[in-house]
Amino acid sequence: QGLKRLPHRRRSTPPLSAMKIAAPLLLLLGSGANGVAVHQEQRASVAANPIRKVVTMLQGMQKKVTEEGKRELDLYNKFMCYCKTSGGDLDKSIAEAEAKIESMEAATKEGRERKAQLDAEV
């Protein structure tokens, strides 16, 4: 009774600048909470379903085996390349060694003859 009422101000809509800021924030907050809830729900369903666990484990194993297969194929290809290129080098070095053996045998025979000659002269 002794209080005086102040006139009530009505604002029909918030200012436009406030709406421009609030709208994206609300969208982000809404989608983030929803995304977290969905992720947690998926986690719970994976944890609760043993078949899903097995399928997930098999998919992980398949991925790992595929990666190992690619690495082994690369190593095999490198080894085959080495075998092809080094085989020619090996044949070449064997031929050179056999020729050297023949020349060394001739040099040894010559040395023995020279030694026998020098022994005879002494």
Side-chain angles (χ1 to χ4, degrees):
Q1 301 191 357
L3 296 175
K4 189 176 179 186
R5 281 192 151 186
L6 295 174
H8 184 61
R9 276 185 163 172
R10 268 191 182 187
R11 184 177 273 182
S12 59
T13 58
L16 188 58
S17 61
M19 286 178 62
K20 285 183 181 178
I21 294 172
L25 288 175
L26 289 174
L27 283 174
L28 284 174
L29 290 174
S31 67
N34 189 23
V36 170
V38 168
H39 185 65
Q40 288 175 346
E41 184 178 314
Q42 287 173 346
R43 261 192 179 162
S45 69
V46 167
N49 189 350
I51 295 173
R52 172 75 352 221
K53 283 183 181 180
V54 171
V55 169
T56 305
M57 181 184 67
L58 289 173
Q59 288 172 340
M61 287 174 60
Q62 180 183 15
K63 183 179 176 184
K64 193 181 290 186
V65 167
T66 303
E67 290 171 0
E68 287 176 5
K70 288 178 184 177
R71 282 195 306 261
E72 287 183 17
L73 180 63
D74 288 342
L75 288 174
Y76 174 77
N77 289 336
K78 287 179 185 177
F79 177 72
M80 290 306 294
C81 179
Y82 169 77
C83 288
K84 289 177 184 174
T85 58
S86 68
D89 294 341
L90 188 58
D91 290 339
K92 183 180 173 185
S93 67
I94 289 172
E96 289 174 357
E98 287 175 348
K100 190 174 182 180
I101 289 172
E102 291 174 7
S103 69
M104 294 298 281
E105 286 175 349
T108 305
K109 185 178 178 183
E110 238 180 70
R112 285 186 186 150
E113 289 173 357
R114 175 112 169 113
K115 182 183 179 241
Q117 182 185 9
L118 290 174
D119 284 341
E121 287 178 6
V122 176

Coordinates of all heavy atoms in Angstrom, one line a residue, residues 47-99:
A47 N 30.1 -51.8 -24.9 CA 30.5 -52.5 -23.7 C 29.4 -53.6 -23.3 O 29.8 -54.6 -22.8 CB 30.6 -51.5 -22.6
A48 N 28.2 -53.3 -23.6 CA 27.1 -54.2 -23.2 C 27.0 -55.4 -24.2 O 26.5 -56.5 -23.8 CB 25.8 -53.5 -23.1
N49 N 27.4 -55.2 -25.5 CA 27.1 -56.3 -26.5 C 28.4 -57.1 -26.8 O 29.3 -56.6 -27.4 CB 26.6 -55.6 -27.8 CG 26.1 -56.6 -28.8 OD1 26.3 -57.8 -28.6 ND2 25.5 -56.1 -29.8
P50 N 28.5 -58.3 -26.3 CA 29.7 -59.1 -26.5 C 29.9 -59.4 -28.0 O 31.1 -59.5 -28.4 CB 29.4 -60.4 -25.7 CG 28.0 -60.4 -25.4 CD 27.5 -59.0 -25.5
I51 N 28.9 -59.5 -28.8 CA 29.1 -59.8 -30.2 C 29.8 -58.6 -30.9 O 30.7 -58.8 -31.7 CB 27.7 -60.1 -30.9 CG1 27.2 -61.4 -30.3 CG2 27.9 -60.2 -32.4 CD1 25.8 -61.7 -30.8
R52 N 29.4 -57.4 -30.5 CA 30.0 -56.2 -31.0 C 31.5 -56.2 -30.6 O 32.3 -55.8 -31.4 CB 29.3 -55.0 -30.5 CG 29.9 -53.7 -30.8 CD 29.9 -53.1 -32.2 NE 29.4 -53.7 -33.3 CZ 29.9 -53.6 -34.5 NH1 31.0 -53.0 -34.8 NH2 29.4 -54.2 -35.6
K53 N 31.8 -56.6 -29.4 CA 33.2 -56.7 -29.0 C 34.0 -57.6 -29.9 O 35.1 -57.2 -30.3 CB 33.3 -57.2 -27.5 CG 32.9 -56.2 -26.5 CD 33.1 -56.8 -25.1 CE 32.8 -55.9 -24.0 NZ 33.0 -56.6 -22.7
V54 N 33.4 -58.7 -30.2 CA 34.1 -59.7 -31.0 C 34.3 -59.2 -32.4 O 35.4 -59.2 -33.0 CB 33.4 -61.1 -31.0 CG1 34.0 -62.0 -32.1 CG2 33.4 -61.7 -29.7
V55 N 33.3 -58.5 -33.0 CA 33.4 -58.0 -34.3 C 34.4 -56.9 -34.3 O 35.2 -56.8 -35.3 CB 32.0 -57.4 -34.8 CG1 32.1 -56.6 -36.0 CG2 31.0 -58.6 -35.0
T56 N 34.4 -56.0 -33.3 CA 35.4 -54.9 -33.3 C 36.8 -55.5 -33.2 O 37.7 -55.0 -33.8 CB 35.1 -54.0 -32.1 OG1 33.8 -53.5 -32.1 CG2 36.1 -52.9 -32.0
M57 N 37.0 -56.5 -32.4 CA 38.3 -57.2 -32.2 C 38.7 -57.8 -33.6 O 39.9 -57.6 -34.0 CB 38.2 -58.3 -31.2 CG 39.6 -59.0 -30.9 SD 39.5 -60.3 -29.8 CE 38.5 -61.5 -30.7
L58 N 37.8 -58.5 -34.3 CA 38.2 -59.0 -35.6 C 38.5 -58.0 -36.6 O 39.4 -58.2 -37.4 CB 37.0 -59.9 -36.1 CG 36.8 -61.2 -35.3 CD1 35.5 -61.9 -35.8 CD2 38.0 -62.1 -35.4
Q59 N 37.8 -56.9 -36.6 CA 38.1 -55.8 -37.5 C 39.5 -55.2 -37.2 O 40.3 -54.9 -38.1 CB 37.1 -54.7 -37.4 CG 35.7 -55.1 -38.0 CD 34.6 -54.0 -37.7 OE1 34.7 -53.2 -36.8 NE2 33.6 -54.1 -38.5
G60 N 39.8 -55.1 -35.9 CA 41.2 -54.6 -35.6 C 42.2 -55.6 -36.0 O 43.3 -55.2 -36.5
M61 N 42.0 -56.9 -35.8 CA 42.9 -57.9 -36.3 C 43.1 -57.9 -37.8 O 44.2 -58.0 -38.3 CB 42.5 -59.3 -35.8 CG 42.7 -59.5 -34.3 SD 42.0 -61.1 -33.8 CE 42.9 -62.2 -34.7
Q62 N 42.0 -57.7 -38.5 CA 42.1 -57.6 -40.0 C 42.9 -56.5 -40.4 O 43.7 -56.6 -41.3 CB 40.6 -57.5 -40.6 CG 40.6 -57.5 -42.1 CD 39.2 -57.3 -42.6 OE1 38.3 -56.9 -41.9 NE2 39.1 -57.5 -43.9
K63 N 42.7 -55.3 -39.8 CA 43.5 -54.1 -40.2 C 45.0 -54.4 -39.9 O 45.9 -54.1 -40.7 CB 43.0 -52.9 -39.4 CG 43.7 -51.7 -39.7 CD 43.1 -50.5 -38.9 CE 43.9 -49.2 -39.1 NZ 43.4 -48.1 -38.3
K64 N 45.3 -55.0 -38.8 CA 46.7 -55.2 -38.4 C 47.3 -56.3 -39.4 O 48.5 -56.1 -39.8 CB 46.8 -55.8 -37.0 CG 48.2 -55.8 -36.4 CD 48.2 -56.3 -35.0 CE 47.5 -55.4 -34.0 NZ 47.6 -55.8 -32.6
V65 N 46.6 -57.3 -39.7 CA 47.1 -58.3 -40.6 C 47.4 -57.7 -42.0 O 48.4 -58.0 -42.7 CB 46.2 -59.5 -40.7 CG1 46.5 -60.5 -41.8 CG2 46.3 -60.3 -39.3
T66 N 46.5 -56.9 -42.4 CA 46.6 -56.2 -43.8 C 47.9 -55.4 -43.8 O 48.6 -55.4 -44.7 CB 45.4 -55.4 -44.1 OG1 44.2 -56.2 -44.0 CG2 45.5 -54.8 -45.4
E67 N 48.1 -54.6 -42.7 CA 49.3 -53.8 -42.7 C 50.6 -54.6 -42.6 O 51.5 -54.3 -43.3 CB 49.2 -52.9 -41.4 CG 48.2 -51.8 -41.5 CD 48.0 -51.1 -40.2 OE1 48.7 -51.4 -39.2 OE2 47.2 -50.1 -40.1
E68 N 50.6 -55.7 -41.9 CA 51.7 -56.6 -41.8 C 52.0 -57.2 -43.2 O 53.1 -57.4 -43.6 CB 51.5 -57.7 -40.8 CG 51.6 -57.2 -39.4 CD 51.3 -58.3 -38.4 OE1 51.1 -59.5 -38.8 OE2 51.3 -58.0 -37.2
G69 N 50.9 -57.6 -43.9 CA 51.0 -58.2 -45.2 C 51.7 -57.2 -46.2 O 52.5 -57.6 -47.0
K70 N 51.3 -55.9 -46.1 CA 51.9 -54.9 -47.0 C 53.4 -54.7 -46.7 O 54.2 -54.7 -47.6 CB 51.2 -53.5 -46.8 CG 49.8 -53.5 -47.4 CD 49.2 -52.2 -47.2 CE 47.7 -52.2 -47.7 NZ 47.1 -50.9 -47.4
R71 N 53.8 -54.7 -45.4 CA 55.2 -54.6 -45.0 C 56.0 -55.8 -45.5 O 57.1 -55.7 -46.0 CB 55.3 -54.5 -43.5 CG 55.0 -53.1 -43.0 CD 55.5 -52.9 -41.6 NE 55.0 -53.9 -40.7 CZ 54.0 -53.8 -39.8 NH1 53.3 -52.7 -39.8 NH2 53.6 -54.8 -39.1
E72 N 55.4 -57.0 -45.3 CA 56.1 -58.2 -45.8 C 56.2 -58.3 -47.3 O 57.3 -58.7 -47.8 CB 55.4 -59.5 -45.3 CG 55.6 -59.7 -43.8 CD 54.9 -61.0 -43.3 OE1 54.6 -61.8 -44.1 OE2 54.7 -61.1 -42.1
L73 N 55.2 -57.8 -48.0 CA 55.3 -57.7 -49.5 C 56.4 -56.8 -49.9 O 57.2 -57.1 -50.8 CB 54.0 -57.3 -50.1 CG 53.9 -57.2 -51.6 CD1 54.2 -58.6 -52.2 CD2 52.6 -56.7 -52.1
D74 N 56.6 -55.6 -49.2 CA 57.6 -54.7 -49.6 C 59.0 -55.4 -49.3 O 59.9 -55.2 -50.1 CB 57.5 -53.4 -48.7 CG 56.3 -52.5 -49.2 OD1 55.9 -52.7 -50.3 OD2 55.9 -51.7 -48.4
L75 N 59.1 -56.0 -48.2 CA 60.4 -56.7 -47.9 C 60.7 -57.8 -48.9 O 61.9 -57.9 -49.3 CB 60.4 -57.3 -46.5 CG 60.4 -56.3 -45.3 CD1 60.2 -57.0 -44.0 CD2 61.8 -55.6 -45.3
Y76 N 59.7 -58.5 -49.3 CA 59.9 -59.6 -50.3 C 60.3 -59.0 -51.6 O 61.3 -59.5 -52.3 CB 58.6 -60.4 -50.5 CG 58.6 -61.4 -51.6 CD1 59.3 -62.6 -51.4 CD2 58.1 -61.1 -52.8 CE1 59.3 -63.6 -52.4 CE2 58.1 -62.1 -53.8 CZ 58.8 -63.3 -53.6 OH 58.8 -64.2 -54.6
N77 N 59.7 -57.9 -52.0 CA 60.1 -57.3 -53.3 C 61.5 -56.8 -53.2 O 62.3 -56.9 -54.2 CB 59.1 -56.1 -53.6 CG 57.8 -56.7 -54.1 OD1 57.6 -57.8 -54.5 ND2 56.7 -55.9 -53.9
K78 N 61.9 -56.2 -52.1 CA 63.3 -55.7 -52.0 C 64.3 -56.9 -52.0 O 65.3 -56.8 -52.7 CB 63.5 -55.0 -50.6 CG 62.9 -53.6 -50.6 CD 63.0 -53.0 -49.3 CE 62.3 -51.6 -49.2 NZ 62.4 -51.0 -47.9
F79 N 63.9 -58.0 -51.4 CA 64.8 -59.2 -51.4 C 64.9 -59.8 -52.8 O 66.0 -60.1 -53.3 CB 64.2 -60.3 -50.5 CG 65.0 -61.5 -50.5 CD1 66.3 -61.6 -49.9 CD2 64.5 -62.7 -51.1 CE1 67.0 -62.8 -49.9 CE2 65.2 -63.9 -51.1 CZ 66.5 -63.9 -50.5
M80 N 63.8 -59.8 -53.5 CA 63.8 -60.4 -54.9 C 64.7 -59.4 -55.8 O 65.4 -59.9 -56.7 CB 62.4 -60.5 -55.5 CG 61.6 -61.6 -54.8 SD 62.5 -63.2 -54.8 CE 62.5 -63.6 -56.6
C81 N 64.6 -58.2 -55.6 CA 65.4 -57.2 -56.4 C 66.9 -57.5 -56.1 O 67.7 -57.5 -57.0 CB 65.0 -55.8 -56.1 SG 65.9 -54.6 -57.0
Y82 N 67.2 -57.7 -54.8 CA 68.6 -57.9 -54.4 C 69.1 -59.2 -55.1 O 70.2 -59.3 -55.6 CB 68.7 -58.0 -52.9 CG 70.0 -58.6 -52.4 CD1 71.1 -57.8 -52.4 CD2 70.1 -59.9 -52.0 CE1 72.3 -58.2 -52.0 CE2 71.3 -60.4 -51.6 CZ 72.4 -59.6 -51.6 OH 73.6 -60.0 -51.1
C83 N 68.2 -60.3 -55.1 CA 68.6 -61.5 -55.6 C 68.9 -61.4 -57.1 O 69.8 -62.0 -57.7 CB 67.5 -62.6 -55.4 SG 67.4 -63.1 -53.7
K84 N 68.0 -60.7 -57.8 CA 68.2 -60.5 -59.3 C 69.5 -59.7 -59.6 O 70.2 -60.1 -60.5 CB 67.0 -59.8 -59.9 CG 65.7 -60.7 -59.9 CD 64.5 -59.9 -60.4 CE 63.3 -60.8 -60.4 NZ 62.1 -60.0 -60.7
T85 N 69.7 -58.7 -58.9 CA 70.9 -57.8 -59.2 C 72.2 -58.4 -58.7 O 73.2 -58.3 -59.3 CB 70.7 -56.4 -58.6 OG1 70.5 -56.5 -57.2 CG2 69.5 -55.7 -59.3
S86 N 72.1 -59.1 -57.5 CA 73.4 -59.6 -57.0 C 73.8 -60.9 -57.6 O 74.9 -61.3 -57.5 CB 73.2 -59.7 -55.4 OG 72.3 -60.8 -55.1
G87 N 72.8 -61.6 -58.2 CA 73.1 -62.9 -58.9 C 74.1 -62.7 -60.0 O 75.1 -63.5 -60.1
G88 N 73.9 -61.7 -60.8 CA 74.9 -61.4 -61.9 C 76.2 -61.0 -61.4 O 77.3 -61.4 -61.9
D89 N 76.2 -60.2 -60.3 CA 77.5 -59.8 -59.7 C 78.2 -61.0 -59.1 O 79.5 -61.1 -59.2 CB 77.2 -58.8 -58.6 CG 76.7 -57.5 -59.1 OD1 76.8 -57.2 -60.3 OD2 76.1 -56.7 -58.3
L90 N 77.5 -61.9 -58.5 CA 78.1 -63.1 -57.9 C 78.7 -64.0 -59.0 O 79.8 -64.5 -58.9 CB 77.0 -63.9 -57.2 CG 77.5 -65.1 -56.3 CD1 78.5 -64.6 -55.3 CD2 76.3 -65.7 -55.6
D91 N 78.0 -64.2 -60.1 CA 78.6 -65.0 -61.2 C 79.8 -64.3 -61.8 O 80.8 -65.0 -62.1 CB 77.5 -65.1 -62.4 CG 76.4 -66.0 -62.0 OD1 76.5 -66.8 -61.0 OD2 75.3 -65.9 -62.6
K92 N 79.8 -63.0 -61.9 CA 81.0 -62.3 -62.4 C 82.2 -62.5 -61.5 O 83.3 -62.7 -61.9 CB 80.6 -60.8 -62.6 CG 81.7 -60.0 -63.1 CD 81.3 -58.5 -63.2 CE 82.4 -57.6 -63.7 NZ 82.0 -56.2 -63.7
S93 N 81.9 -62.3 -60.2 CA 83.0 -62.5 -59.2 C 83.6 -63.9 -59.2 O 84.8 -64.1 -59.0 CB 82.6 -62.0 -57.8 OG 81.6 -62.9 -57.3
I94 N 82.7 -64.9 -59.4 CA 83.2 -66.3 -59.4 C 84.1 -66.5 -60.6 O 85.1 -67.1 -60.5 CB 82.0 -67.2 -59.4 CG1 81.3 -67.2 -58.0 CG2 82.4 -68.7 -59.8 CD1 80.0 -68.0 -58.0
A95 N 83.7 -66.0 -61.8 CA 84.5 -66.1 -63.0 C 85.8 -65.5 -62.8 O 86.9 -66.0 -63.2 CB 83.7 -65.6 -64.2
E96 N 85.8 -64.3 -62.2 CA 87.1 -63.6 -62.0 C 88.0 -64.3 -61.0 O 89.2 -64.4 -61.2 CB 86.8 -62.2 -61.4 CG 86.3 -61.2 -62.4 CD 85.9 -59.9 -61.8 OE1 86.0 -59.7 -60.6 OE2 85.4 -59.0 -62.6
A97 N 87.4 -64.9 -60.0 CA 88.2 -65.7 -59.0 C 88.8 -66.9 -59.7 O 89.9 -67.3 -59.4 CB 87.3 -66.1 -57.8
E98 N 88.0 -67.6 -60.5 CA 88.5 -68.8 -61.2 C 89.7 -68.4 -62.1 O 90.7 -69.2 -62.2 CB 87.4 -69.5 -62.0 CG 86.4 -70.2 -61.1 CD 85.3 -70.8 -61.8 OE1 85.1 -70.5 -63.0 OE2 84.5 -71.6 -61.2
A99 N 89.6 -67.3 -62.8 CA 90.7 -66.9 -63.7 C 91.9 -66.5 -62.9 O 93.1 -66.8 -63.3 CB 90.2 -65.7 -64.5

